[in-house]
Amino acid sequence: MSENEIDLHAITDGAAAEASGVLHADVLVALAEAQVAGDEAALVRARRGVVGRLGSEGLVDAAAVAANFERMVRIADSTGIPLDAPVNAMTGDIRGDLGIGRFASASNTAEAGWLARALGPPARSALLGTLKLVYAVRSRLSPR
Amino acid sequence: MSAISYTDAPVRVRDDLVASHRRAWERLARPGTWWSGSERVAMAAEVRNAAGCPFCRERKAALSPHVVSGSHASLGALSDAAVEVIHQVTADPARVSKAWFEKCQAGGLSDAHYVEMIGVIVTVVSIDSFCRGIGVPAPPLPAPEPGEPTRRRPSAARPERAWVPMIPASDARGEEADLWARSRTGNVIRALSLVPDEVRGLKDLSATHYLSMDEMMDLRRGKGTLNRSQVELIAGRVSALNECFY
């Protein structure tokens, strides 16, 4: 995978972290998983892994980001907000391939119209520039 | 009130993070918009208490939380409806539904009381999660401050598709003009806008934990030692583990 390719499967499958194309993804995902689970033994290993690769500053930064999203998911789920329209239009294909639509809170968002769905992926490409998101090919080859 | 300190932590915590956590604890202790300082701190205590609630554990393990009957192991300072919201949103947020929300309202929680309560819950959840991540005990809760809630409801808030009224992106004006600039916001920010102070608290914590609204728009922007891909990978993984579609 090139430096400009990110495989998104690590979001829904932690085991895919190492091949994601994101630097040190394996230790960052391990920390995120242990922090959410509150598994102390896993946390000890995960902290050691992050500090070993990114230093203690990296551990603080990563723990803070994970904690931030423990907050955001609860706000989103408890208020019933739908996805923002541009995000809905730009990410329908990705969400479909990652299987995120099975989450209960998906029912808070109506499917984007055909025009938005058609224009969404090109708009996403323009926004991301040379960064390429990989999601469909692997899920089709190895359905999970 | 003793301020949050991480001086005994095994790693050095950035000054901006410490400062934002201290501000969050100060806000928590003060009277809010709809709840008193005592009630806000009682909610925070109930958030922590939810971790050991056998009823929450049983419900989370069940195929559907609605098939399990029983009651929460609560600290007894809040109404049953308040305890239900705190425990469910803390322990099993992915399975809250509009019907559940309406039942909580029928139990005596107004939409504004509910929104402020969510703001308190998520503040405590995120600071405690950070502490778990770096390996320090969660900080003691602050002592509540006396005083009355302001009971100010923003006139611009109105019903949309979400369960709670929100201030439209283009309508953050007057006393709410500071909430976001030039319609640059997202639904997850607007979600708490029925209680504008909770949006201010959310923005303050998010800017140090993650990125400010302006930084978010710049896709090259990372956080500290992490590049943007690393930041978003952590964000996405935490969201997926919590089964959050948003």
Side-chain angles (χ1 to χ4, degrees):
Chain A
M1 185 163 303
S2 83
E3 206 173 283
N4 279 345
E5 285 184 358
I6 303 290
D7 186 333
L8 298 179
H9 288 94
I11 290 171
T12 48
D13 177 7
E18 210 160 353
S20 67
V22 177
L23 199 59
H24 307 311
D26 53 340
V27 293
L28 295 172
V29 163
L31 179 73
E33 291 176 346
Q35 198 167 318
V36 170
D39 177 339
E40 192 50 42
L43 271 165
V44 169
R45 286 193 301 274
R47 286 183 205 121
R48 202 180 298 137
V50 174
V51 170
R53 304 263 195 93
L54 291 142
S56 56
E57 287 177 23
L59 174 63
V60 170
D61 294 336
V65 172
N68 192 69
F69 284 84
E70 289 269 56
R71 176 167 67 250
M72 303 313 265
V73 298
R74 285 172 172 79
I75 294 173
D77 285 349
S78 63
T79 55
I81 52 167
L83 270 185
D84 300 84
V87 178
N88 193 15
M90 284 191 275
T91 60
D93 52 345
I94 296 178
R95 285 181 276 113
D97 277 315
L98 294 181
I100 296 171
R102 72 180 187 278
F103 296 162
S105 53
S107 64
N108 297 329
T109 300
E111 195 181 340
W114 68 268
L115 185 58
R117 287 203 308 275
L119 296 176
R124 182 179 72 222
S125 297
L127 188 69
L128 294 177
T130 57
L131 181 66
K132 188 178 170 199
L133 303 180
V134 178
Y135 51 94
V137 176
R138 275 200 46 205
S139 66
R140 282 176 194 144
L141 288 176
S142 53
R144 51 197 87 237
Chain B
M1 181 175 75
S2 61
I4 285 184
S5 168
Y6 297 118
T7 50
D8 293 335
V11 291
R12 187 181 174 281
V13 178
R14 296 194 319 257
D15 292 342
D16 65 327
L17 269 171
V18 178
S20 72
H21 288 190
R22 285 179 178 166
R23 288 192 295 272
W25 249 219
E26 287 165 11
R27 285 191 298 270
L28 176 62
R30 286 198 296 262
T33 306
W34 298 98
W35 299 91
S36 69
S38 300
E39 288 166 328
R40 288 167 61 85
V41 174
M43 287 181 221
E46 198 62 63
V47 169
R48 289 181 172 173
N49 183 51
C53 174
F55 183 51
C56 283
R57 266 202 301 275
E58 202 181 339
R59 282 211 306 198
K60 189 158 187 178
L63 206 54
S64 162
H66 311 297
V67 301
V68 181
S69 56
S71 58
H72 293 290
S74 87
L75 298 172
L78 299 163
S79 71
D80 288 348
V83 169
E84 167 62 20
V85 170
I86 293 166
H87 282 231
Q88 182 67 36
V89 173
T90 301
D92 195 8
R95 296 203 290 185
V96 303
S97 63
K98 191 170 188 188
W100 169 87
F101 166 72
E102 287 167 349
K103 199 171 161 192
C104 294
Q105 283 203 295
L109 285 178
S110 75
D111 51 7
H113 281 89
Y114 177 85
V115 168
E116 182 171 335
M117 178 176 275
I118 298 301
V120 169
I121 294 168
V122 298
T123 297
V124 179
V125 164
S126 65
I127 288 180
D128 287 4
S129 171
F130 172 74
C131 291
R132 195 160 59 244
I134 64 166
V136 297
L141 294 175
E145 293 180 17
E148 288 297 312
T150 60
R151 297 188 179 86
R152 187 183 166 280
R153 188 178 174 102
S155 57
R158 63 190 69 142
E160 295 183 32
R161 189 182 162 91
W163 305 338
V164 295
M166 306 193 295
I167 297 176
S170 58
D171 260 353
R173 300 179 191 149
E175 289 186 59
E176 280 73 61
D178 63 312
L179 296 185
W180 49 80
R182 302 179 304 279
S183 299
R184 289 172 71 172
T185 187
N187 289 346
V188 77
I189 308 294
R190 295 198 301 123
L192 301 182
S193 60
L194 185 58
V195 182
D197 277 347
E198 295 304 329
V199 178
R200 294 181 182 107
L202 165 71
K203 282 172 61 185
D204 188 26
L205 273 180
S206 287
T208 58
H209 277 240
Y210 174 59
L211 298 162
S212 69
M213 284 299 288
D214 283 339
E215 290 169 339
M216 230 183 291
M217 303 297 177
D218 179 358
L219 296 181
R220 294 160 303 180
R221 185 88 186 218
K223 187 70 178 178
T225 56
L226 305 177
N227 65 35
R228 190 61 178 270
S229 298
Q230 291 171 317
V231 166
E232 297 304 334
L233 176 65
I234 296 168
R237 186 69 189 127
V238 169
S239 301
L241 288 166
N242 280 288
E243 298 195 355
C244 180
F245 181 75
Y246 187 86

